[in-house]
Amino acid sequence: MIIKKIRIENFGKLSDFEMDFKSGVNTVLENNGWGKSTLASFVRVMFYGFDGDSKKKGVREKERSFFKPWNGGAYGGSIEFKAGDKDYVLLRTFGATVKSDSFDLRDAATALVSDDFTAENLGYSLFGLDSESYKKTSYIDHTGIKYEGVGSDVSSKAGNLPQGEDIAAYDGAAALINNYLNTHSPTRATGSLNRKKKEISEMTVFVSGGDKVDENITFQKTRLDELSEKELRLKSTRKELDDEVKAINKDRERAVNHRLYLDKVALKDSRKKDADELLFKLGGSIPDDELCTRAERKLSELDSLNAKAANLVDRSDDERFDRTCAECREKIERTYDLLDEKYAEKEEAISVFSKALSAAKRLTVISIVMMAVAAALFGTAYYFYKFKNLYYIGGAGVLFIIGLVLLIIGLSKKSRASLNLETAKNMDFSYMEKDIENAKDRIRKTEDEKLYLQKAYIEEKEALSEKGSFICDDINSLLEKIGKDKGPRVYYRESTAGARSFISDIKVDCATYRRMDKDYDAAKRSCDEFLSVHPGADEDPHFDENAAGERLSEIEKRGAQLLDEINETSAERTSCKAGLSDLYEKSEEINAAKETLLVAKEEYESGKEKYLVAEKTLDYLTEAKDRLIAGYMEPLRCSFERYYDILKGDDAPKEGDSFIIDANLNLQKKELGAYRSIESLSDGISDMTGLCMRAALLDVMYDVEKPVIIMDDPFSNLDEENVKWGYRFLESLAQEYQIIYLTCHPGRAVN
């Protein structure tokens, strides 16, 4: 196959470009950025289409977007080519998607549309390869020259290659040593030993002027060190002052937090005390609201019954009964008057002695209470203060003694009053009571007549009274439960206002207690939250605000002085450093060069010794390999070796046979006694093997109809010596292939 002409309307940065091609090597020599890679991509896209059309975007944009014309216009072009014995003209334009592309293939002789190929199978039909396999053989991009194996298409097309066995570990070792010799050659311009020798010579001249530079900067360097040390001392002192200020402020903050915490604790304790006092008043627990509601309903029922009893009237009243009873009562009254006088005397005596007895009992009770209080004070002093509070102990002792004295006096008075009271109670007035009893008998007889009339009144009154008693019992039972035996009592036909007021007060106290308990919980949570945010706030830091203020004032004055001294020292040091920077930098470069020179000399001697050993080893391995590899993988191997030896040059060791190609078309190089992947080779060697392997594959894949080879600067990683032999490589290929060779370097151009 031969490409005769390329015409680009617009593709990437290329616009209105046209070029004719001939058999053999066609060189395109242009500067970097002209569009050589774009031209190579144009040829591939014309035959295969864009790579990214059916794939997701990767690191690089889709090719369709990447090569979109920079200046607009028609996107595409044409290629005139010969395949077999027929000439064709291919025109393609590209849109935003595959569907918007156009494809026009015509017979060059008749200008008629040809259906020999389609847009989908053009490249595959011409070369027998898909796009990926094409890029691994006849399309050689300078960024992908290295051989990385081939696809199934190449394997199938090269399936007539002979099979063979591995060559043990000779090739790997020979390739590694050969690569080592090329890399470290003492005579080649690119050899590491040669470069190292030149480097040693240059560094020797450079370091010879170091002594004079060191003498010129020694004095100023010493002065700069003195200023730096002084500045560091001043900054260190200032930092110590700053750290002290931070410590004082931190202590102050701890003191403030401690005061705030104490306020919160005081509020919590106050609320707890108020709630406990109210709970004590309520008897230690909150009564059930249902009890209060039931008691209020019962009180309403009792009020209704009392109103009914108040309206009850006794209809048995009669003057006759009253007159008879009045006469008898008058007699009884006269007798009673006399009896009253007697009883008054008796009662007066009883009253006097009863009062004396009551006073003695009260005195006894008071003394007992005082002694109990004294015992309570003793218990408090032990429980809370372990008898360390003398006020409690002294007060309790005095109170106990007074109570004991009062108890003795009270018991003595009680004994005398009891004896006198018994005597007064034994006075007898029974004879006068007998007269009164007779008068009463008459009254009873009179009243018997009245009883019948009063019966209905009494029965109704008793019924009301009985019912009222039952209701009062229920109410009193409820009040005892509500007030913990401290509540008032209600009675039939008496006011219920006291009980109602008591229940109302209890309900108010219950609501108040619940509110107080919530307030206490809130205050307790506030204390806990504050302590979690400010750990250690419960500990007193013993912070002295006055002393801290005085110390901060002293630090501020001293800090200002230090700052002035630091600024003066820093300015002087900056001035000194500016004057020394050039000399000091020069001195550092010379000192570094001295160390590098010493290391370089050691490395050179060591590398030279290794190089000599490697040369001898390679001779032995090459001789052994030559005896083993004869006749193995002949078609492909021979072709690869021929091309590789051409690239290496006439003067270089023949290394083409240090590679092995297996039946899967994988290429390995023998190094250090093992077959290794060519990925481990240097860029130059990798490019050389890639070029040779592609050329060898093309030789065995195509017998008659040879494809066009596109090379985009394939020798960019080769040294000058190998580039010279690269021209012979191209000349050899050009005998059977058309080559489009693109480069930017005049020294790598082929005439």
Coordinates of all heavy atoms in Angstrom, one line a residue, residues 46-96:
M46 N -8.3 9.0 9.5 CA -8.9 8.8 8.2 C -9.2 7.3 7.9 O -10.2 7.0 7.3 CB -8.1 9.4 7.1 CG -8.0 10.9 7.2 SD -9.6 11.7 6.7 CE -9.6 11.4 5.0
F47 N -8.3 6.4 8.4 CA -8.5 5.0 8.1 C -9.4 4.3 9.2 O -10.1 3.4 8.9 CB -7.2 4.3 8.0 CG -6.5 4.6 6.7 CD1 -5.2 5.3 6.7 CD2 -7.0 4.3 5.5 CE1 -4.6 5.6 5.6 CE2 -6.3 4.6 4.3 CZ -5.1 5.2 4.3
Y48 N -9.3 4.8 10.5 CA -9.9 4.1 11.6 C -11.0 4.9 12.3 O -11.8 4.3 13.1 CB -8.9 3.6 12.6 CG -8.1 2.4 12.2 CD1 -6.8 2.6 11.6 CD2 -8.6 1.1 12.3 CE1 -6.1 1.5 11.2 CE2 -7.9 0.0 11.9 CZ -6.6 0.2 11.4 OH -5.9 -0.9 11.0
G49 N -11.1 6.2 12.1 CA -12.0 7.0 12.9 C -11.3 7.3 14.2 O -10.2 6.9 14.6
F50 N -12.1 8.1 15.0 CA -11.6 8.6 16.3 C -11.6 7.4 17.4 O -12.6 6.7 17.4 CB -12.4 9.7 16.9 CG -12.2 11.0 16.1 CD1 -13.2 11.5 15.2 CD2 -11.0 11.7 16.1 CE1 -13.0 12.6 14.5 CE2 -10.8 12.9 15.4 CZ -11.8 13.3 14.6
D51 N -10.6 7.4 18.2 CA -10.5 6.4 19.3 C -11.5 6.5 20.3 O -12.1 5.6 20.8 CB -9.1 6.4 19.9 CG -8.1 5.7 19.1 OD1 -8.5 4.9 18.2 OD2 -6.9 5.8 19.4
G52 N -11.8 7.8 20.7 CA -12.7 8.0 21.9 C -14.2 8.0 21.7 O -14.9 8.3 22.6
D53 N -14.6 7.6 20.5 CA -16.0 7.8 20.2 C -16.9 6.8 21.0 O -18.0 7.1 21.4 CB -16.3 7.5 18.7 CG -16.0 8.8 17.9 OD1 -16.0 9.9 18.5 OD2 -15.7 8.7 16.7
S54 N -16.4 5.6 21.3 CA -17.2 4.6 22.0 C -16.7 4.4 23.4 O -17.1 3.4 24.1 CB -17.2 3.3 21.3 OG -15.8 2.8 21.2
K55 N -15.9 5.3 24.0 CA -15.3 5.1 25.3 C -15.6 6.4 26.1 O -15.9 7.4 25.6 CB -13.8 4.9 25.3 CG -13.4 3.7 24.4 CD -11.9 3.6 24.4 CE -11.5 2.4 23.5 NZ -10.0 2.3 23.4
K56 N -15.6 6.2 27.5 CA -15.8 7.3 28.4 C -14.5 8.1 28.3 O -13.4 7.7 28.0 CB -16.0 6.8 29.8 CG -17.3 6.1 30.0 CD -17.5 5.7 31.4 CE -18.8 5.0 31.6 NZ -19.0 4.6 33.0
K57 N -14.7 9.4 28.7 CA -13.5 10.3 28.8 C -12.5 9.9 29.8 O -12.9 9.5 30.9 CB -14.0 11.7 29.1 CG -14.7 12.4 27.9 CD -15.0 13.9 28.2 CE -15.7 14.5 27.1 NZ -15.9 16.0 27.4
G58 N -11.3 9.9 29.5 CA -10.2 9.6 30.5 C -9.5 10.8 30.9 O -10.0 11.9 31.0
V59 N -8.1 10.6 31.0 CA -7.3 11.8 31.4 C -7.3 12.8 30.2 O -7.4 14.0 30.4 CB -5.9 11.3 31.7 CG1 -5.0 12.5 32.0 CG2 -5.9 10.3 32.9
R60 N -7.2 12.3 29.0 CA -7.2 13.1 27.8 C -8.7 13.2 27.3 O -9.4 12.2 27.4 CB -6.3 12.6 26.8 CG -6.3 13.3 25.5 CD -5.3 12.8 24.5 NE -5.4 13.3 23.2 CZ -4.6 13.0 22.2 NH1 -3.6 12.2 22.4 NH2 -4.8 13.5 21.0
E61 N -9.0 14.3 26.7 CA -10.3 14.5 26.1 C -10.5 13.4 25.0 O -9.6 12.8 24.5 CB -10.5 15.8 25.4 CG -10.4 17.0 26.4 CD -10.6 18.3 25.6 OE1 -11.7 18.6 25.3 OE2 -9.6 18.9 25.2
K62 N -11.8 13.2 24.6 CA -12.0 12.4 23.4 C -11.3 13.1 22.2 O -11.2 14.3 22.1 CB -13.5 12.3 23.1 CG -14.3 11.5 24.1 CD -15.7 11.3 23.7 CE -16.5 10.4 24.6 NZ -17.9 10.3 24.1
E63 N -10.8 12.2 21.4 CA -10.0 12.7 20.2 C -10.9 13.6 19.4 O -10.4 14.6 18.8 CB -9.5 11.6 19.4 CG -8.3 10.9 19.9 CD -7.7 9.9 18.9 OE1 -8.4 9.3 18.1 OE2 -6.4 9.8 18.9
R64 N -12.1 13.3 19.2 CA -13.0 14.1 18.4 C -13.0 15.6 18.9 O -12.9 16.5 18.0 CB -14.4 13.6 18.4 CG -15.4 14.3 17.5 CD -16.8 13.6 17.6 NE -16.7 12.3 17.0 CZ -16.9 12.0 15.7 NH1 -17.1 13.0 14.9 NH2 -16.8 10.8 15.3
S65 N -13.0 15.8 20.2 CA -13.0 17.2 20.7 C -11.6 17.7 20.7 O -11.4 18.9 20.4 CB -13.5 17.2 22.1 OG -14.8 16.7 22.2
F66 N -10.6 16.9 20.9 CA -9.2 17.3 21.0 C -8.7 17.9 19.6 O -8.0 18.9 19.6 CB -8.3 16.1 21.4 CG -6.9 16.5 21.6 CD1 -6.5 17.1 22.8 CD2 -5.9 16.3 20.6 CE1 -5.2 17.5 23.0 CE2 -4.6 16.6 20.8 CZ -4.2 17.2 22.0
F67 N -9.1 17.2 18.5 CA -8.6 17.7 17.2 C -9.6 18.6 16.5 O -9.5 18.8 15.3 CB -8.3 16.5 16.3 CG -7.1 15.7 16.8 CD1 -7.2 14.4 17.2 CD2 -5.9 16.3 16.7 CE1 -6.1 13.7 17.7 CE2 -4.7 15.6 17.1 CZ -4.8 14.3 17.6
K68 N -10.6 19.0 17.2 CA -11.6 20.0 16.6 C -10.8 21.2 16.1 O -9.9 21.7 16.8 CB -12.6 20.4 17.6 CG -13.8 21.2 16.9 CD -14.8 21.5 18.0 CE -16.0 22.3 17.3 NZ -17.0 22.6 18.3
P69 N -11.0 21.6 14.8 CA -10.2 22.7 14.2 C -10.2 24.0 15.2 O -11.2 24.4 15.7 CB -11.0 23.1 12.9 CG -11.7 21.8 12.6 CD -12.1 21.2 13.9
W70 N -9.0 24.5 15.3 CA -8.8 25.7 16.1 C -9.4 26.9 15.5 O -9.9 27.8 16.3 CB -7.2 25.9 16.3 CG -6.6 24.9 17.1 CD1 -7.0 23.6 17.4 CD2 -5.3 25.0 17.7 NE1 -6.1 22.9 18.2 CE2 -5.0 23.7 18.4 CE3 -4.3 26.0 17.7 CZ2 -3.9 23.5 19.1 CZ3 -3.1 25.7 18.4 CH2 -2.9 24.5 19.1
N71 N -9.5 27.0 14.2 CA -10.0 28.2 13.6 C -11.4 27.9 12.9 O -11.8 28.7 12.1 CB -9.0 28.7 12.5 CG -8.8 27.6 11.4 OD1 -9.2 26.5 11.6 ND2 -8.1 28.0 10.4
G72 N -12.0 26.8 13.3 CA -13.3 26.5 12.7 C -13.2 26.0 11.3 O -12.1 25.4 11.0
G73 N -14.2 26.0 10.5 CA -14.2 25.5 9.2 C -14.5 24.1 9.1 O -14.8 23.4 10.1
A74 N -14.4 23.5 7.9 CA -14.7 22.1 7.6 C -13.7 21.2 8.4 O -12.5 21.5 8.3 CB -14.6 21.8 6.1
Y75 N -14.2 20.2 9.1 CA -13.4 19.4 10.0 C -13.1 18.1 9.2 O -14.0 17.2 9.1 CB -14.2 19.1 11.2 CG -13.5 18.4 12.3 CD1 -12.1 18.0 12.3 CD2 -14.2 18.0 13.5 CE1 -11.5 17.4 13.3 CE2 -13.6 17.3 14.5 CZ -12.2 17.0 14.4 OH -11.6 16.3 15.4
G76 N -11.9 17.9 8.6 CA -11.6 16.7 7.9 C -10.6 17.0 6.7 O -9.8 17.9 6.7
G77 N -10.6 16.1 5.7 CA -9.7 16.2 4.6 C -9.8 15.0 3.7 O -10.8 14.3 3.7
S78 N -8.7 14.7 2.9 CA -8.8 13.6 2.0 C -7.4 13.0 1.9 O -6.4 13.6 2.2 CB -9.2 14.1 0.6 OG -8.2 15.0 0.0
I79 N -7.4 11.7 1.4 CA -6.1 10.9 1.2 C -6.3 10.2 -0.1 O -7.3 9.5 -0.3 CB -5.9 9.9 2.4 CG1 -5.6 10.7 3.7 CG2 -4.7 9.0 2.0 CD1 -5.3 9.7 4.8
E80 N -5.3 10.3 -1.0 CA -5.2 9.5 -2.2 C -4.2 8.3 -1.9 O -3.0 8.6 -1.5 CB -4.7 10.3 -3.4 CG -5.7 11.4 -3.7 CD -5.2 12.2 -4.9 OE1 -4.2 11.7 -5.6 OE2 -5.7 13.3 -5.1
F81 N -4.6 7.1 -2.1 CA -3.8 6.0 -1.8 C -4.0 4.8 -2.8 O -5.0 4.8 -3.5 CB -4.0 5.4 -0.3 CG -5.4 4.8 -0.1 CD1 -5.6 3.5 -0.3 CD2 -6.5 5.6 0.2 CE1 -6.8 2.9 0.0 CE2 -7.7 5.1 0.4 CZ -7.9 3.7 0.3
K82 N -3.0 3.9 -2.8 CA -3.0 2.8 -3.7 C -3.0 1.5 -2.8 O -2.2 1.4 -2.0 CB -1.9 2.8 -4.7 CG -1.9 1.6 -5.6 CD -0.7 1.6 -6.6 CE -0.8 0.4 -7.6 NZ 0.4 0.5 -8.5
A83 N -4.0 0.6 -3.1 CA -4.1 -0.6 -2.4 C -4.2 -1.7 -3.4 O -5.2 -1.7 -4.2 CB -5.3 -0.6 -1.4
G84 N -3.2 -2.6 -3.4 CA -3.2 -3.7 -4.5 C -2.9 -3.0 -5.8 O -1.9 -2.3 -5.9
D85 N -3.7 -3.2 -6.8 CA -3.5 -2.6 -8.1 C -4.5 -1.5 -8.4 O -4.7 -1.2 -9.6 CB -3.5 -3.7 -9.2 CG -4.8 -4.5 -9.2 OD1 -5.6 -4.2 -8.3 OD2 -5.0 -5.3 -10.1
K86 N -5.1 -0.9 -7.3 CA -6.1 0.0 -7.5 C -5.9 1.3 -6.7 O -5.4 1.2 -5.6 CB -7.5 -0.6 -7.1 CG -8.7 0.1 -7.6 CD -10.0 -0.7 -7.3 CE -11.2 0.0 -7.8 NZ -12.4 -0.8 -7.5
D87 N -6.2 2.4 -7.4 CA -6.0 3.7 -6.7 C -7.4 4.2 -6.2 O -8.4 4.0 -6.8 CB -5.4 4.8 -7.6 CG -4.0 4.5 -8.0 OD1 -3.3 3.7 -7.2 OD2 -3.5 5.0 -9.1
Y88 N -7.3 4.8 -5.0 CA -8.5 5.3 -4.3 C -8.3 6.8 -3.9 O -7.2 7.2 -3.6 CB -8.9 4.5 -3.1 CG -9.3 3.1 -3.4 CD1 -8.3 2.1 -3.4 CD2 -10.6 2.7 -3.7 CE1 -8.6 0.8 -3.6 CE2 -10.9 1.4 -4.0 CZ -9.9 0.4 -3.9 OH -10.2 -0.9 -4.2
V89 N -9.5 7.5 -3.8 CA -9.5 8.8 -3.1 C -10.5 8.7 -2.0 O -11.7 8.4 -2.2 CB -9.9 9.9 -4.1 CG1 -10.0 11.3 -3.4 CG2 -9.0 10.0 -5.3
L90 N -10.0 9.0 -0.8 CA -10.8 8.9 0.5 C -11.1 10.3 1.0 O -10.1 11.1 1.2 CB -10.1 8.1 1.5 CG -10.7 8.1 2.9 CD1 -12.1 7.5 2.9 CD2 -9.9 7.4 3.9
L91 N -12.4 10.7 1.1 CA -12.7 12.0 1.7 C -13.6 11.7 2.9 O -14.6 11.0 2.9 CB -13.6 12.8 0.7 CG -12.9 13.2 -0.6 CD1 -13.2 12.2 -1.7 CD2 -13.3 14.7 -1.0
R92 N -13.2 12.4 4.0 CA -14.0 12.3 5.3 C -14.1 13.6 5.9 O -13.1 14.4 6.0 CB -13.3 11.3 6.2 CG -13.3 9.9 5.8 CD -12.8 8.9 6.8 NE -13.9 8.6 7.8 CZ -13.8 7.5 8.6 NH1 -12.8 6.6 8.5 NH2 -14.8 7.2 9.4
T93 N -15.3 13.9 6.4 CA -15.5 15.1 7.3 C -16.1 14.6 8.6 O -16.8 13.6 8.6 CB -16.4 16.1 6.6 OG1 -17.7 15.5 6.3 CG2 -15.8 16.7 5.4
F94 N -15.8 15.4 9.7 CA -16.2 14.9 11.0 C -17.1 16.0 11.6 O -16.8 17.2 11.5 CB -15.0 14.7 11.9 CG -14.0 13.7 11.2 CD1 -12.9 14.2 10.6 CD2 -14.3 12.4 11.2 CE1 -12.0 13.3 10.0 CE2 -13.4 11.5 10.6 CZ -12.3 12.0 10.0
G95 N -18.1 15.5 12.3 CA -19.0 16.4 13.1 C -18.9 16.3 14.6 O -17.9 15.8 15.1
A96 N -19.9 16.6 15.3 CA -19.9 16.5 16.8 C -20.0 15.1 17.2 O -19.5 14.7 18.3 CB -21.0 17.4 17.4

